[in-house]
Amino acid sequence: MRRNILSSVAALALAASPAMAAGTITVITSFPDSMTGPIEAAFEAAHPDHDLEILNKKTSAGVKYIQEIAGDNTADIFWASAPDAFEVLKNDGMLAAVDIASEGIPEKIGAYPLNDPDGYYFGFAGAGYGIMWNERYLKANDLEPAREWSDLAKPVYHGHVGMSAPSRSGTTHLTVETLLQGDGWDQGWAQWKRIAGNFSTVTERSFGVPDGVNTGNFGLGIVIDFFGFSSRASGFPVDFAYPTVTALVPANIGVVKNAPNEAGAVTFIEYLLTPEGQAVLLDPAIMRLPINPATYAMAPEGFPNPFEDATIGATVEFDVETSGARYNIVNSMFDVMITYRLDDLRTAVGAIQSAEGAYAKSGNAEARAMIDEAWALIDANPIDEAQSLDPEFAAIFTKKRTKADDEVGERQAEVEQKWDSFVVENYRKATELAQQAAGM
Amino acid sequence: MERAGIQIEDVHLSFGDTQVLKGVNLDIKPGEFFAFLGPSGSGKSTLLRAIAGFGPTPQGRIRIGERDVLGLDPWKRNVGMVFQSYALWPHMSVRDNVGFGLKEKKMPTAQIRPKVDAALDLVGLQHLADRMPNQLSGGQQQRIALARTIVVEPEVLLLDEPLSNLDASLRVQMRRELLRLQRQLGLTTIFVTHDQEEANTTSDRMAVLDGGVIQQVGSPQALYDAPANLFVAKFLGTANILEGRVEVDGPEARFVTKTGDELSLPQGSKADGSNIVLRPQNIEIHREAGQNALPGTVLHKEFLGSQIRYLIEAGGTEIVVDQSHSVGLDWYEVGANVHLRANTSNAVVL
Amino acid sequence: MSQQTTTPAAVRAGLADRLPVWLVPRVSGLHVAALLIALMLVGLLLVPVAQVMIVAFQDPATGAATLQNFVDFFRTSLFRESFWNSFYVSAMSVVVATAIALPLAYITTRFHFSGSILIQSLGFIPLIMPPFVGAVAMQLIFGRNGTVNLLLKDNFGISIPFMDGLNGVILVQSIHYFPFILINLSASLRNIDRSMEEAAQNLGSHGMRLFRRIVFPLAMPGYIAGAALVFIKVFDDLGTPLLLNVNNMLAPQAFLRISSIGISDPMGYVISVILVVFSILSLWASFLFMRGKDYATVQKGGGGMARRTLKPGEKVLAYGVVIFILLVVLSPHLGLLLLSFGTIWSFAPLPDGYTLANYVTMWENSKTFIMNTVLYAGIAATLDVIIGTAIAYIVIRTRIFGRKGLDYLATAALAVPGVVLGIGYLRTFHSIDVPLLDKPLASWWVIIALALMIRRLPYALRACTAALQQVSLALEEAAESLGATKRRTIQKVVIPLMTGGILAGFVTSFATAAVELSATIMLVSSNNDAPLAYGIYLFMQTPSGRGAGAALGIVAVIVVAIGTIASQIIIERDKKLKSSGDVH
């Protein structure tokens, strides 16, 4: 009897362990099941000898995971949206350079080069950031959809906007960086903080934003396009628009260094770039922009085509190197200035907005000066662009000790505490000034 | 302190379909020490709890002093009850336990302290006032429970098997102390027990209960000597019960056992009853046959110190006979044929 | 040399014979069992946690041992604020959970109240929903534009910020964790001898005064045990604040810092250390408080708590209160149910339409998740009760050196946040390969089951300890005096008598393991290995998957609820069986 139990447990154990097919390709991806599912099905139908093993992790967790297991790597492919995440992996030597054969794929999507020049990762689909809104919510609150980033900073949207944090979502990081590059460091951050003053929440996951808009928890969200398209395709009363300043960026795929099945990995990537592989992207649950222009012939009506509509994502020349150099600094600044101090920021911006309202009636010059001073306090950054690009400074955030006697001047906690005191004090002063100005 | 009597009239009580009290009538006099005696499940505790106001409300009438208390909440009855488990609250000190009832009566703190001290003094445990209950022995807990109850000066004191959790020697000591306290305070007291010795030694009167019915009420001696029925006879002390019939022949009467042996009864005995109750100490053992004697065989004997207890098969049953022991008395061996002579002058026929 | 002649069959028989030695320890084997358990706890708990903690004590620049990181922690205003927020949320959750649990416990134990068992079972259900799923459903019901607020806005023009910021965390946490208080408090209340109450009534006390002065103080140990659990779980919990986008608390700060790209700063680890230390301190404080206050007051000649019959007016009130509370605590389930049958639910009090399609989608895609869950939680719970019983026996019945340490170590798992354990496992077991399979132990599915086993061991241990305490030593001695060996005695007498408690431990471990996410999210190395909670999480990451995720959540709740109610019935029956042999 006991032996029976033991053997049945053993049988269960075998049944539950993944099939060890010769062609197993292990994929670490941030893409949801609804996207990987159809692609996996199509790929396995086209290549029956291969078995795709999907492991879903958030981009940042996926990067962390690959770093953690690097000593004894079991993953073949890293597959995610954010090019920056690939930059991080590439710089850490976690990716392998491979040759991929494809046809009919252009060099760029929008203004963005599709593939890593060194061949470590490859674009397979395009995506751009934009604004998504819930029509019922806007109607109930008597609002118009915002079309441009600057619209989101308008007082009418106070408390109605949602966004994820760049440190939590690679694609959100892209959006933040895009605006910083498009408008310039100071102008860009000022814009972000004025928009963030209208935030209802900063979500922990990038999907938290479309989710919040879909349920009507907040009215407008800063999201990547396919979230908007697929939400609409699922039947939610939502819509999506690209603002002028946006970047179309490729979603990427790369082979992990020391992959157990590198040949299989290459087969999968090549399949993804074939016309059949690209066509799966138009599945209603996926809705990503194919990078093969020919595939758009199959697209549903109203689906944007960046290869024909030149206005989409053409304004910003996205500089991957700049982005990579200050990746962690931007994340940390966003968290310190916005995510963790959202209440203070929201209060301050709200106060300034009402002061502006009061000024519009009174026209009091003294009030104007105080309002401007308050805005200046909000806009002020703890570091300038030059410092953000200083590799020594960036090292505080990325330090990896290679030798025991490596020295790093300051600790990240110290720097962040300085920033935190800086913004908390500024927001407090701004709130005070705005309240005074409103009373004039 | 006012002495209150308790009148119980036609009290019925059921738990679901089970009738636990079936028409109980009792009149307990002020200042009396009264015992409820009966086996488990006889309804004695239920009756006591009904007086205190616990459990479902019975039908009938219960009066304490001049008050009809039936249906009254327990906290309005002014009845003091000591629980079998003592029910000392483990989270309160001895002093807080004893002072609890006074505090509930909103007595000023300054007056509570001397009262608590007096009550603890009464049970001789003033020195333990600041202990916690789990630091006390069983006997001490018992006294604290008693002090806690009498400090509020209840009209009647109810004791629910108060001695059952104590060991034998302590039990004897405690029951004397209970009696002393009761006499000193003059409290009308009801004492529930399944131990006849406890009931006999303490109570003025007692009620024997069985099956939710009062079998007999009276002084311990009266009940022992003149049990009203077989249950009472058997429950109080050891009773030999022989089955048979009464034959009346003019003024003469005799009891004929199943085996045909005859025992003469006092003149004028009535003809009803098919059992005769013989107490073990009222039977003598003889080797030779004689008047009013039953032939029998010794089955077993036990030496009890002051007595020798024999088990003898006679009259169609097994009869217990106690013989006083004295030096040099010879014993009847197991298997010996003997004759039992019963003193039937005050034997009870039921 | 004679051993070499043994046949393979005999070897196998010998092996089968030897296995139960550690499954069911025998007298000389008890030491071996204690040692094995100690090694297991060190290997699966102490070492992995230490692997995470050590980073907190290293200078990030030099790797030298330092306390500088802790100085940085307390110098950082954000962390001080997070610490205070975590403390505030935990304390308030205890308060709100008490407000929910106290009336339920009081009404179901003190009065003749039809449906008491049902209420007690329903009261357990919130515990078996993954908190993050609860948070999603709660947003839909109580959120800024959830059902309640939309109705309030339409009808009265007001809205109540139930779910804003820390409020939301407190609400979701108290609804999720109040069963800990309900279960412990109810047990305590039931164990109060009725004479305790009657003695007070007899002395003139009644109503609220009676409750305040006698009943509640006597139930205090149970209440404190439950409240301490709630406090610690809320303090450590990660999923709920993250789902509600609340970042200014310790656990999310730790997670955000540990899991973000490139951030190799030690603050996340410092926070982990602080979480663990603070949890252990809270546990310790509650133990200190309860020491010497074991008011197991059911005594010889007494009965359980006296149940009163309610007057008609009181009955209406009691039902009103119970129904209101149940409605609130089951609102996540109602929300989830609606979501699972709904088509589109957006900015509306209820879904636009209803469909079964979500269940079809769910069923097509989640068989593996369900199978995996049953396998993992089953293994975890089985190991938990075996180890729990062994530890309980060693602690209570033997004088083996260090037995208390075994108890403390197993209980300490309670204080280790799931994320910390998950990261520790990745660190520790990644370099160890599984023989034959040729892959790291950290990515083998068994590690998930082991993590769950460690996480749920404290629950099983408490249940087994309680069960063993109720088995009189005399019963064991009787068996031994009749010639049974220690091992036979444990097998034939002790364990059968503990069945009810062991089963309770199994169900608690199984049910809570089945919905655990925080440790597993770090350890799942392939979607094929993913358990149910992870499956729901995956579904919920897509606009079209919400309904299917909700359907999977409903399936989880139903499966676990059936198990719970069944075990309640078995435990009740077991209780009756035991008490029937107990009449005096």
Side-chain angles (χ1 to χ4, degrees):
Chain A
M1 185 62 201
R2 187 170 289 132
R3 178 133 353 113
N4 279 342
I5 292 168
L6 281 176
S7 61
S8 56
V9 167
L12 267 176
L14 282 177
S17 68
M20 301 296 289
T24 298
I25 308 162
T26 305
V27 181
I28 313 294
T29 180
S30 69
F31 296 125
D33 214 29
S34 60
M35 170 166 168
T36 57
I39 296 177
E40 181 184 357
F43 172 69
E44 285 171 5
H47 297 268
D49 51 330
H50 285 88
D51 179 24
L52 218 54
E53 180 83 30
I54 303 282
L55 172 53
N56 188 294
K57 293 201 180 284
K58 266 189 307 219
T59 308
S60 51
V63 169
K64 188 83 182 160
Y65 181 78
I66 288 178
Q67 287 169 338
E68 290 277 347
I69 66 169
D72 187 6
N73 180 42
T74 51
D76 296 307
I77 285 183
F78 185 63
W79 193 21
S81 287
D84 333 44
F86 287 85
E87 278 296 307
V88 169
L89 284 178
K90 177 185 161 188
N91 292 336
D92 283 356
M94 303 282 174
L95 294 179
V98 290
D99 284 326
I100 299 293
S102 62
E103 266 176 38
I105 308 288
E107 288 280 299
K108 284 184 170 187
I109 184 164
Y112 204 104
L114 262 174
N115 301 324
D116 174 43
D118 302 326
Y120 284 96
Y121 56 92
F122 309 89
F124 73 93
Y129 253 83
I131 301 165
M132 175 183 175
W133 61 87
N134 184 317
E135 280 157 356
R136 291 185 196 167
Y137 183 104
L138 294 194
K139 194 164 168 246
N141 288 282
D142 217 9
L143 292 170
E144 287 296 314
R147 301 279 171 181
E148 293 292 341
W149 301 127
S150 54
D151 288 347
L152 288 175
K154 288 179 182 166
V156 285
Y157 295 117
H158 192 76
H160 295 305
V161 185
M163 185 187 177
S164 184
S167 60
R168 312 305 311 141
S169 141
T171 44
T172 307
H173 178 93
L174 265 179
T175 317
V176 173
E177 183 63 43
T178 302
L179 208 64
L180 293 182
Q181 293 190 14
D183 288 3
W185 177 262
D186 288 319
Q187 194 60 37
W189 274 121
Q191 184 74 280
W192 275 125
K193 281 185 270 186
R194 291 180 184 211
I195 295 173
N198 283 340
F199 278 178
S200 153
T201 185
V202 175
T203 69
E204 193 270 322
R205 304 157 300 154
S206 57
F207 181 69
V209 183
D211 202 33
V213 176
N214 284 342
T215 55
N217 203 25
F218 42 84
L220 305 104
I222 298 168
V223 300
I224 199 159
D225 50 12
F226 57 83
F227 277 143
F229 299 141
S230 61
S231 296
R232 200 176 49 186
S234 307
F236 286 100
V238 295
D239 211 341
F240 174 87
Y242 292 109
T244 324
V245 180
T246 188
L248 276 189
V249 288
N252 299 282
I253 188 161
V255 178
V256 182
K257 196 168 181 181
N258 297 329
N261 187 1
E262 193 177 295
V266 170
T267 312
F268 177 62
I269 296 175
E270 287 177 347
Y271 172 78
L272 211 49
L273 301 176
T274 60
E276 305 90 74
Q278 288 285 299
V280 186
L281 296 173
L282 296 173
D283 184 293
I286 303 179
M287 288 285 177
R288 306 229 174 192
L289 304 176
I291 53 164
N292 192 334
T295 312
Y296 286 87
M298 292 181 266
E301 194 149 343
F303 193 77
N305 182 347
F307 297 101
E308 284 181 0
D309 182 351
T311 61
I312 301 174
T315 331
V316 186
E317 194 83 33
F318 192 86
D319 180 355
V320 185
E321 255 176 54
T322 304
S323 164
R326 62 190 184 199
Y327 189 90
N328 292 306
I329 295 174
V330 168
N331 285 349
S332 179
M333 277 179 74
F334 190 95
D335 279 344
V336 172
M337 297 196 299
I338 296 173
T339 314
Y340 302 147
R341 292 298 170 202
L342 184 58
D343 284 339
D344 308 60
L345 177 59
R346 193 163 38 200
T347 312
V349 170
I352 301 176
Q353 287 171 349
S354 17
E356 292 266 21
Y359 168 75
K361 285 184 203 133
S362 71
N364 186 320
E366 207 181 328
R368 183 68 257 167
M370 290 171 91
I371 292 170
D372 290 343
E373 197 186 334
W375 276 127
L377 283 165
I378 298 287
D379 295 348
N381 288 325
I383 59 168
D384 59 16
E385 179 151 31
Q387 196 175 3
S388 81
L389 293 170
D390 173 4
E392 248 179 68
F393 186 67
I396 296 174
F397 295 83
T398 52
K399 66 196 150 223
K400 283 226 179 300
R401 268 178 291 110
T402 45
K403 296 192 298 277
D405 52 5
D406 276 1
E407 269 298 329
V408 184
E410 280 181 300
R411 295 180 301 280
Q412 183 175 349
E414 267 180 297
V415 174
E416 288 186 347
Q417 171 59 21
K418 257 189 250 165
W419 292 353
D420 186 59
S421 321
F422 175 82
V423 297
V424 168
E425 182 58 18
N426 279 359
Y427 293 166
R428 190 187 59 75
K429 272 196 233 153
T431 311
E432 267 177 27
L433 283 169
Q435 281 164 347
Q436 283 176 28
M440 285 176 181
Chain B
M1 202 180 304
E2 197 143 331
R3 297 177 175 199
I6 302 168
Q7 283 90 45
I8 297 167
E9 286 169 29
D10 197 27
V11 164
H12 286 264
L13 184 65
S14 303
F15 292 141
D17 293 335
T18 333
Q19 269 198 292
V20 192
L21 296 176
K22 305 170 186 164
V24 173
N25 288 287
L26 265 181
D27 187 357
I28 298 166
K29 298 186 184 77
E32 196 169 24
F33 199 128
F34 197 92
F36 291 171
L37 180 65
S40 295
S42 59
K44 59 188 190 302
S45 279
T46 308
L47 183 58
L48 190 81
R49 291 169 56 78
I51 297 168
F54 298 124
T57 306
Q59 293 171 305
R61 267 160 82 86
I62 299 179
R63 295 169 61 82
I64 297 176
E66 297 303 307
R67 286 194 302 160
D68 197 338
V69 297
L70 203 73
L72 210 58
D73 286 323
W75 48 91
K76 294 180 183 155
R77 293 198 181 193
N78 200 19
V79 161
M81 178 150 166
V82 175
F83 292 82
Q84 184 179 11
S85 58
Y86 318 137
L88 295 182
W89 301 300
H91 61 295
M92 293 184 189
S93 69
V94 164
R95 178 179 299 287
D96 289 342
N97 263 283
V98 176
F100 181 87
L102 298 175
K103 224 177 211 170
E104 285 304 309
K105 290 190 170 170
K106 310 271 187 316
M107 184 178 277
T109 320
Q111 291 175 32
I112 292 179
R113 207 179 160 88
K115 285 225 173 219
V116 169
D117 286 340
L120 286 173
D121 201 29
L122 201 61
V123 296
L125 292 179
Q126 212 179 348
H127 60 289
L128 298 179
D130 297 314
R131 297 268 183 96
M132 296 304 278
N134 60 10
Q135 297 170 299
L136 305 181
S137 71
Q140 288 168 336
Q141 291 188 25
Q142 163 77 79
R143 286 168 212 227
I144 300 301
L146 198 61
R148 183 176 72 180
T149 308
I150 55 185
V151 76
V152 297
E153 301 179 3
E155 283 181 286
V156 296
L157 180 63
L158 308 179
L159 307 168
D160 187 5
E161 305 241 11
L163 308 177
S164 64
N165 287 344
L166 301 177
D167 58 41
S169 61
L170 207 54
R171 218 177 284 175
V172 175
Q173 188 194 334
M174 264 318 286
R175 81 183 181 216
R176 289 190 186 137
E177 205 160 320
L178 271 180
L179 192 59
R180 173 183 68 78
L181 262 175
Q182 194 268 341
R183 294 295 186 238
Q184 189 178 339
L185 301 170
L187 264 175
T188 311
T189 301
I190 302 177
F191 182 108
V192 165
T193 180
H194 60 269
D195 182 336
Q196 46 151 329
E197 189 181 315
E198 280 175 15
N200 288 341
T201 48
T202 53
S203 63
D204 299 319
R205 286 197 303 152
M206 61 188 187
V208 176
L209 279 95
D210 186 45
V213 175
I214 292 195
Q215 304 293 330
Q216 197 174 1
V217 179
S219 70
Q221 189 193 342
L223 263 56
Y224 186 82
D225 290 344
N229 55 39
L230 282 179
F231 177 80
V232 176
K234 277 194 267 191
F235 197 71
L236 296 179
T238 315
N240 295 303
I241 293 161
L242 279 77
E243 287 175 53
R245 62 183 190 281
V246 178
E247 282 181 2
V248 181
D249 185 9
E252 300 294 320
R254 59 185 181 274
F255 188 85
V256 183
T257 67
K258 280 197 295 192
T259 48
D261 301 304
E262 291 185 2
L263 294 170
S264 63
L265 293 174
Q267 288 200 342
S269 292
K270 294 205 179 88
D272 53 352
S274 53
N275 294 287
I276 185 165
V277 181
L278 298 171
R279 296 292 182 188
Q281 66 275 25
N282 295 339
I283 304 173
E284 291 170 17
I285 308 176
H286 294 272
R287 290 210 187 271
E288 57 285 338
Q291 195 68 38
N292 232 7
L294 300 172
T297 313
V298 178
L299 294 177
H300 188 73
K301 70 170 196 293
E302 286 168 341
F303 178 61
L304 302 178
S306 63
Q307 288 182 324
I308 304 153
R309 171 160 289 187
Y310 290 98
L311 189 63
I312 292 162
E313 186 174 8
T317 184
E318 289 171 3
I319 293 176
V320 177
V321 181
D322 288 343
Q323 266 201 334
S324 310
H325 170 66
S326 55
V327 182
L329 190 80
D330 66 334
W331 295 0
Y332 300 95
E333 294 310 314
V334 171
N337 290 319
V338 294
H339 296 272
L340 302 180
R341 282 188 209 158
N343 175 3
T344 52
S345 56
N346 42 25
V348 178
V349 178
L350 297 165
Chain C
M1 291 292 108
S2 60
Q3 283 98 321
Q4 285 184 343
T5 63
T6 31
T7 62
V11 172
R12 254 184 275 123
L15 186 72
D17 214 27
R18 239 177 297 138
L19 264 179
V21 173
W22 54 273
L23 288 171
V24 181
R26 78 180 143 202
V27 64
S28 61
L30 276 171
H31 285 86
V32 179
L35 192 68
L36 281 172
I37 292 170
L39 284 177
M40 182 212 72
L41 287 174
V42 168
L44 291 180
L45 180 64
L46 221 50
V47 171
V49 172
Q51 290 265 3
V52 178
M53 303 249 164
I54 196 150
V55 181
F57 297 95
Q58 283 176 338
D59 187 316
T62 63
T66 178
L67 287 176
Q68 180 62 43
N69 300 326
F70 288 85
V71 176
D72 280 348
F73 175 90
F74 287 105
R75 272 201 197 138
T76 307
S77 47
L78 177 67
F79 293 149
R80 285 199 305 270
E81 186 190 311
S82 299
F83 184 87
W84 167 245
N85 282 346
S86 282
F87 188 85
Y88 168 78
V89 164
S90 307
M92 282 307 290
S93 298
V94 170
V95 171
V96 178
T98 304
I100 295 170
L102 192 63
L104 289 185
Y106 185 71
I107 290 172
T108 51
T109 54
R110 286 253 314 166
F111 301 104
H112 291 287
F113 194 82
S114 40
S116 283
I117 290 188
L118 184 71
I119 293 167
Q120 289 278 340
S121 304
L122 286 179
F124 189 76
I125 286 181
L127 212 50
I128 58 182
M129 177 186 265
F132 75 93
V133 179
V136 168
M138 294 276 287
Q139 279 283 16
L140 287 167
I141 306 271
F142 293 108
R144 208 156 69 102
N145 293 309
T147 309
V148 173
N149 273 327
L150 282 180
L151 291 175
L152 283 175
K153 255 185 246 172
D154 285 353
N155 294 307
F156 306 102
I158 54 162
S159 74
I160 303 171
F162 298 109
M163 297 294 290
D164 285 13
L166 300 180
N167 283 358
V169 183
I170 293 170
L171 188 64
V172 173
Q173 300 285 33
S174 20
I175 286 183
H176 182 243
Y177 286 118
F178 85 90
F180 282 132
I181 294 183
L182 177 66
I183 293 165
N184 284 295
L185 186 60
S186 302
S188 267
L189 283 173
R190 265 191 229 110
N191 281 339
I192 296 174
D193 193 290
R194 69 157 70 174
S195 66
M196 289 285 158
E197 239 190 316
E198 288 177 350
Q201 290 181 333
N202 185 252
L203 293 171
S205 192
H206 63 97
M208 273 317 290
R209 273 180 75 80
L210 174 66
F211 184 76
R212 200 162 44 79
R213 296 198 57 196
I214 304 292
V215 177
F216 193 69
L218 288 176
M220 203 59 164
Y223 172 74
I224 291 290
L229 263 184
V230 173
F231 187 90
I232 292 167
K233 297 312 285 181
V234 175
F235 200 79
D236 285 351
D237 186 47
L238 171 66
T240 305
L242 278 190
L243 248 290
L244 296 173
N245 304 312
V246 173
N247 295 307
N248 297 8
M249 289 176 65
L250 282 188
Q253 281 291 331
F255 177 74
L256 296 180
R257 271 154 208 286
I258 289 174
S259 65
S260 291
I261 303 177
I263 294 191
S264 54
D265 86 316
M267 281 305 129
Y269 302 94
V270 171
I271 298 170
S272 303
V273 171
I274 287 173
L275 284 177
V276 171
V277 168
F278 200 75
S279 302
I280 289 178
L281 280 180
S282 317
L283 265 186
W284 183 60
S286 74
F287 281 149
L288 271 193
F289 178 85
M290 285 187 289
R291 200 169 55 186
K293 289 199 175 139
D294 183 15
Y295 306 144
T297 65
V298 176
Q299 286 156 329
K300 193 164 178 274
M305 190 91 171
R307 281 173 186 250
R308 268 210 304 137
T309 308
L310 287 161
K311 299 188 188 103
E314 295 174 328
K315 205 167 228 173
V316 170
L317 186 70
Y319 271 104
V321 168
V322 166
I323 289 171
F324 175 74
I325 291 176
L326 286 181
L327 215 56
V328 171
V329 301
L330 294 178
S331 61
H333 299 76
L334 291 176
L336 200 65
L337 196 67
L338 285 172
L339 190 58
S340 74
F341 284 110
T343 49
I344 291 294
W345 191 357
S346 172
F347 201 76
L350 291 172
D352 295 357
Y354 297 92
T355 173
L356 285 173
N358 293 327
Y359 282 85
V360 177
T361 317
M362 178 275 291
W363 186 243
E364 280 166 358
N365 294 304
S366 53
K367 281 180 217 110
T368 329
F369 299 142
I370 295 172
M371 285 289 293
N372 286 345
T373 299
V374 171
L375 180 72
Y376 301 162
I379 291 176
T382 308
L383 290 176
D384 276 342
V385 293
I386 291 172
I387 296 168
T389 309
I391 296 179
Y393 193 88
I394 288 165
V395 170
I396 296 177
R397 294 284 205 261
T398 73
R399 323 220 119 263
I400 292 175
F401 174 76
R403 59 192 185 283
K404 276 278 167 199
L406 220 50
D407 190 4
Y408 292 146
L409 194 55
T411 308
L414 211 55
V416 177
V419 197
V420 173
L421 197 70
I423 293 169
Y425 273 31
L426 275 184
R427 296 239 153 130
T428 313
F429 300 120
H430 197 77
S431 49
I432 302 171
D433 269 347
V434 185
L436 301 177
L437 283 178
D438 193 31
K439 62 195 242 172
L441 186 54
S443 52
W444 193 30
W445 63 269
V446 171
I447 205 76
I448 303 173
L450 290 178
L452 291 175
M453 184 268 284
I454 288 287
R455 296 265 296 151
R456 300 307 171 210
L457 185 56
Y459 302 119
L461 178 58
R462 288 280 82 80
C464 294
T465 306
L468 183 60
Q469 274 163 345
Q470 281 162 9
V471 177
S472 157
L473 186 60
L475 293 172
E476 251 176 275
E477 288 168 347
E480 277 163 38
S481 74
L482 293 171
T485 62
K486 196 93 194 166
R487 180 176 145 203
R488 294 282 297 167
T489 308
I490 294 173
Q491 263 179 322
K492 296 290 171 190
V493 177
V494 180
I495 288 179
L497 284 170
M498 287 171 67
T499 312
I502 291 179
L503 197 71
F506 183 86
V507 169
T508 321
S509 301
F510 184 89
T512 49
V515 295
E516 152 101 37
L517 185 67
S518 57
T520 47
I521 199 166
M522 301 299 299
L523 291 173
V524 172
S525 60
S526 145
N527 284 6
N528 283 341
D529 288 349
L532 209 142
Y534 194 85
I536 301 175
Y537 177 80
L538 290 185
F539 271 125
M540 294 265 184
Q541 296 301 301
T542 63
S544 52
R546 290 164 52 91
L552 187 53
I554 290 291
V555 169
V557 169
I558 289 173
V559 168
V560 183
I562 289 173
T564 311
I565 291 170
S567 74
Q568 284 259 349
I569 291 169
I570 295 172
I571 291 165
E572 288 291 321
R573 199 176 290 165
D574 186 64
K575 247 186 232 159
K576 268 182 204 149
L577 199 71
K578 267 183 205 147
S579 60
S580 68
D582 205 47
V583 171
H584 44 264

